[in-house]
Amino acid sequence: MRSGTVFRVTPAGVLTTLVSDQQNPAAGLVVGNDGLLYGMTSAGGGFGGFGTVFKMSTNGALTTIAVLNGVNGENPQSGLVLARDGNLYATSPQGGTNSIGNVFRVTPAGVVTSLVSFDSSSLGGGPSAGLALGPDGNLYGLTPFGGAAGLGTIFKITTGGAFTTLYSFQLPDGFVRRARLTPGPDGNLYGTSRDGGSADMGTIFKITTNGIFTNLVSFRGTNGAVPLAELTVGADGQLYGTTQLGGSESSGTVFRVTTNGSLTTLASFASSVNGFNAVPRAGLLAASDGNFYGCTPGAVFKMTPGGALTFLTSLIPLNGVHPQANLVPGPDGNFYGTTRDGGSNNVGTIFRLSTSGSFTSLFSFSTTNGSAPQGGLSLGSDGNFYGTTSLGGSNFAGTVFRFSTNGTLTTLASFGGANGASPQCQLVAGADGSFYGTAPQQGPNGSGTVFRITTNGVLTTLVSFNNTNGAFPIDGLMLGQDGNFYGTTANGGSHVAGTVFRMTPAGALTTLFSFNNTNGANPFGGLVQGSDGLLYGTTAFGGTNLSFGTIFKITTNGVLTTLFNFHFTDGEEPSSKMIRAPDGSLYGTTALGGSLLNDPSSSGLGTVFRITTNGLFTPLFQFQGTNGSNPGASLALGPDGNLYGSTANGGPGGGGTLFRIVLNPLLTGITKGVNGNVVVTGSGPPGGLYSLLSSANVSAPLATWTSLTSGVLGDDGTFSFTDNGAAAAQARFYRLSTP
């Protein structure tokens, strides 16, 4: 699932996020006749999560007006178009009666009607580009395959559904066309192809409304390469657009082209270290001030008709976005963590967080030294942190790195090939001073590896999974009390649903258990050892309640007991390892399930839970989007005895949150009222029991204190009590306790 936002930016560059945590937004909004903005998501909604249609006011009030059901549309990739009849029209690359795409109509009230189902042959198939409103009132679109040559088509469709194939693409025309057609000032339609042409770097083409096709421009690199976006008609009657690559620094261009194919490169993007002004993938907006506005993956820019380029605002959070790894306490009492995205190069960061919430971004990855870190950091005996990135490095398949708190990062090893790929684990230190971890991809058998790495970067592959003994270990290892390592694989084993394994420090592997779906399936998270010496873990799927996942315990010789089956309301898809708290209980998160509030996808936004070693389960918290969503990482126990964690999405900007859950009830405020009454407030674990006591003598034995009230903490973990008897007391002390 991708999480996105809807934002507004002024010509001066003031950016406002209107809607955050929007699930898989399809590209582009369109203004309806009612002045509202209409758009789509490519996932979410009921049925199978095939997508939704929404309307939104300019201040961000969003309403879902339709849910796609797989037949009338599925997984739309582009925006809607407003036709002359006041209705909205779109394509989807899946759905329809043949499941390979369709054209559908949506009324402003949300009634969806499928007009044409593609057939992958004469009609074409799989349209990802949106429709264009032609000068004749008909709609025009593209398909990437089908047609006479099997290479895609250009079609016309009336608002009543009468369909005509205008042109079948040929080999020189290219293969990939993701941008909708643009009606030109001459009544013809213009489009771009990502590849094809004389240098196979993309083209600009023209087609008349009766199907006469002309290739106008072949990109060659110096004048641009790989155009991905639709063209825009300027006030001068010429067409303007962008290329993703090419130009003087091979980082993309802005160009102008006449209707007869004369192309002028107006600006070349620079390949800068901050990544903001490179590789444009979107088209241009011709604004009323005479300038053009556009986006790169990291910024919003303005361009004059003459090609003067000005960057207005950054779209990349410099402090990081989408944390997917657990926080780790450092030797200085602060937490350290990573974000998968964001930073100056938009490939992830390392940050520090104090228990009071003070945040400091320490390092931005740059692809060559790694990118997309998803595993937590590990503190070495030398005072440095060690970690992994799932991408980047010399083979673009992930790295192991060392990081000092002064901001210096050293890449120790790069993955790719026989040693595995895409490590997403937190490393664990062995008795020999080396670190041990897992890589879930590649390896000799293509099913992942277990590795050992020394602090100076000597990497050794210890185990190569082969599906029979497991496949795709995601969450790393746990060092057991017996000196062996224990872990899980997400797939493989005798039922192809994942395994639990034991490995000696030398690499001898024993499969302890294979899941069979009834007792759980696909353990994405690793294991934690309880105070009883048993191992505890979760499966993301399987179990007896519609495959929402399970919690289990297992002995070190492989006897497994299912402790709990999730029910959606208490969580779904636990994807990270649990942690053990001083009270002996285990605490964890689920990525989905829980509350449906603020969740248009109806999949739930995730939960935090507690379970005892004998299976007593307590839901602690349900995320609601504004305070975060989709926690995908383990929790961390802070020096104050509370839990700290992260959500991958949600929050005001949609980029995730860092949160604390108070385990021990505490008083948060004592306020005296005008009539002598006292208002006492406190907080603790949501749904937890509490008792409020008072005494005139703070040193009196607890048994002599007076009970004022007791009850259950609210869903937000707080309570408030007004002590009407305080006015008559000369002295009053309060104590909060758990029964």
Side-chain angles (χ1 to χ4, degrees):
M1 182 183 74
R2 293 181 290 114
S3 178
T5 66
V6 179
F7 64 89
R8 176 179 66 226
V9 63
T10 69
V14 178
L15 185 140
T16 304
T17 298
L18 298 175
V19 178
S20 63
D21 211 19
Q22 181 78 331
Q23 186 173 348
N24 292 47
L29 298 170
V30 63
V31 181
N33 287 335
D34 53 7
L36 297 175
L37 303 169
Y38 288 80
M40 295 190 291
T41 67
S42 62
F47 305 102
F50 298 131
T52 68
V53 182
F54 63 86
K55 64 181 178 181
M56 189 188 77
S57 67
T58 54
N59 64 2
L62 185 145
T63 304
T64 298
I65 63 171
V67 174
L68 302 179
N69 62 17
V71 176
N72 61 16
E74 178 180 350
N75 190 30
Q77 300 295 303
S78 56
L80 298 153
V81 64
L82 179 68
R84 292 177 181 175
D85 61 3
N87 294 315
L88 304 151
Y89 293 81
T91 65
S92 67
Q94 298 168 286
T97 56
N98 300 311
S99 299
I100 51 175
N102 68 333
V103 177
F104 58 91
R105 176 176 60 227
V106 185
T107 69
V111 178
V112 183
T113 304
S114 182
L115 298 177
V116 170
S117 291
F118 291 96
D119 62 3
S120 79
S121 55
S122 61
L123 300 181
S128 57
L131 298 168
L133 181 64
D136 53 5
N138 294 316
L139 303 166
Y140 293 80
L142 305 158
T143 68
F145 57 86
L151 302 176
T153 65
I154 301 176
F155 63 85
K156 173 175 68 178
I157 185 171
T158 68
T159 54
F163 185 95
T164 304
T165 299
L166 295 177
Y167 181 73
S168 291
F169 286 103
Q170 306 299 309
L171 191 61
D173 301 330
F175 295 91
V176 182
R177 287 161 291 275
R178 296 179 178 173
R180 73 177 73 208
L181 298 167
T182 298
D186 56 359
N188 298 314
L189 297 144
Y190 293 80
T192 61
S193 174
R194 173 183 168 175
D195 47 21
S198 59
D200 200 27
M201 293 183 180
T203 69
I204 300 173
F205 59 84
K206 172 176 70 177
I207 189 167
T208 66
T209 55
N210 60 359
I212 299 174
F213 180 90
T214 307
N215 265 318
L216 294 175
V217 174
S218 288
F219 288 99
R220 303 183 305 276
T222 53
N223 65 352
V226 192
L228 293 180
E230 63 190 88
L231 301 167
T232 298
V233 180
D236 57 1
Q238 300 188 73
L239 301 163
Y240 292 77
T242 63
T243 65
Q244 181 182 210
L245 301 175
S248 61
E249 297 196 39
S250 300
S251 296
T253 68
V254 182
F255 61 83
R256 177 178 62 226
V257 62
T258 65
T259 55
N260 62 3
S262 175
L263 184 134
T264 303
T265 301
L266 298 174
S268 287
F269 289 91
S271 180
S272 67
V273 293
N274 61 23
F276 290 165
N277 51 347
V279 196
R281 299 172 186 171
L284 301 168
L285 171 69
S288 57
D289 62 3
N291 295 311
F292 294 93
Y293 293 81
C295 292
T296 70
V300 178
F301 64 86
K302 175 176 70 177
M303 188 195 74
T304 67
L309 211 60
T310 303
F311 288 89
L312 299 177
T313 185
S314 168
L315 296 176
I316 297 175
L318 293 179
N319 59 7
V321 67
H322 305 313
Q324 297 189 16
N326 54 293
L327 299 169
V328 175
D332 54 3
N334 294 310
F335 289 102
Y336 290 80
T338 62
T339 66
R340 189 186 190 280
D341 303 302
S344 58
N345 302 298
N346 201 25
V347 292
T349 68
I350 300 174
F351 63 84
R352 179 176 62 226
L353 176 78
S354 72
T355 54
S356 64
S358 176
F359 182 96
T360 306
S361 185
L362 300 174
F363 184 81
S364 290
F365 288 94
S366 64
T367 302
T368 53
N369 56 19
S371 66
Q374 293 184 229
L377 301 169
S378 295
L379 184 62
S381 58
D382 56 5
N384 293 313
F385 288 102
Y386 292 79
T388 61
T389 66
S390 63
L391 299 172
S394 58
N395 301 310
F396 305 102
T399 67
V400 179
F401 63 84
R402 178 177 63 232
F403 178 75
S404 65
T405 54
N406 66 5
T408 302
L409 185 136
T410 303
T411 302
L412 298 176
S414 288
F415 287 90
N419 61 10
S422 304
Q424 303 170 32
C425 66
Q426 182 178 20
L427 300 170
V428 60
D432 59 356
S434 298
F435 286 95
Y436 293 75
T438 60
Q441 304 291 332
Q442 294 187 26
N445 305 305
S447 298
T449 65
V450 180
F451 63 85
R452 176 179 64 225
I453 188 165
T454 65
T455 55
N456 61 357
V458 178
L459 183 83
T460 305
T461 301
L462 299 175
V463 172
S464 295
F465 289 98
N466 59 17
N467 199 58
T468 301
N469 63 3
F472 312 130
I474 295 176
D475 199 271
L477 305 168
M478 180 211 77
L479 181 61
Q481 296 170 2
D482 58 5
N484 293 313
F485 294 96
Y486 293 84
T488 62
T489 64
N491 292 93
S494 56
H495 304 288
V496 200
T499 69
V500 178
F501 65 84
R502 177 179 65 227
M503 187 195 75
T504 68
L509 185 128
T510 303
T511 301
L512 297 177
F513 190 82
S514 291
F515 291 94
N516 64 9
N517 195 64
T518 302
N519 54 25
N522 312 117
F524 293 163
L527 302 167
V528 60
Q529 194 157 29
S531 56
D532 54 7
L534 299 179
L535 310 175
Y536 293 81
T538 62
T539 64
F541 303 103
T544 58
N545 295 324
L546 300 177
S547 198
F548 291 142
T550 70
I551 302 174
F552 64 86
K553 66 180 176 182
I554 186 171
T555 66
T556 54
N557 59 2
V559 179
L560 184 137
T561 304
T562 300
L563 292 177
F564 186 75
N565 290 275
F566 285 94
H567 307 79
F568 182 84
T569 53
D570 49 40
E572 176 186 351
E573 198 174 315
S575 301
S576 58
K577 70 176 66 176
M578 298 180 291
I579 67 164
R580 190 180 86 192
D583 61 3
S585 298
L586 305 166
Y587 293 81
T589 64
T590 67
L592 301 174
S595 174
L596 294 178
L597 184 66
N598 302 321
D599 178 25
S601 70
S602 299
S603 59
L605 300 176
T607 69
V608 180
F609 65 84
R610 174 180 64 223
I611 190 167
T612 64
T613 54
N614 60 1
L616 179 61
F617 181 93
T618 305
L620 297 179
F621 190 78
Q622 296 180 337
F623 290 97
Q624 298 175 353
T626 53
N627 56 11
S629 65
N630 314 120
S634 298
L635 299 166
L637 189 67
D640 54 3
N642 295 315
L643 297 175
Y644 291 79
S646 64
T647 65
N649 301 306
T657 65
L658 301 174
F659 63 86
R660 174 175 59 214
I661 291 184
V662 178
L663 290 182
N664 303 309
L666 53 87
L667 294 172
T668 57
I670 300 176
T671 305
K672 192 172 183 178
V674 294
N675 57 359
N677 295 336
V678 171
V679 178
V680 182
T681 57
S683 66
L689 301 175
Y690 73 92
S691 293
L692 181 64
L693 311 174
S694 72
S695 174
N697 181 4
V698 71
S699 60
L702 181 60
T704 66
W705 285 56
T706 301
S707 176
L708 296 177
T709 186
S710 61
V712 178
L713 295 168
D715 291 340
D716 60 355
T718 65
F719 82 92
S720 178
F721 173 77
T722 300
D723 183 5
N724 294 317
Q730 290 185 340
R732 195 78 139 180
F733 298 94
Y734 297 96
R735 172 178 285 175
L736 185 66
S737 68
T738 55

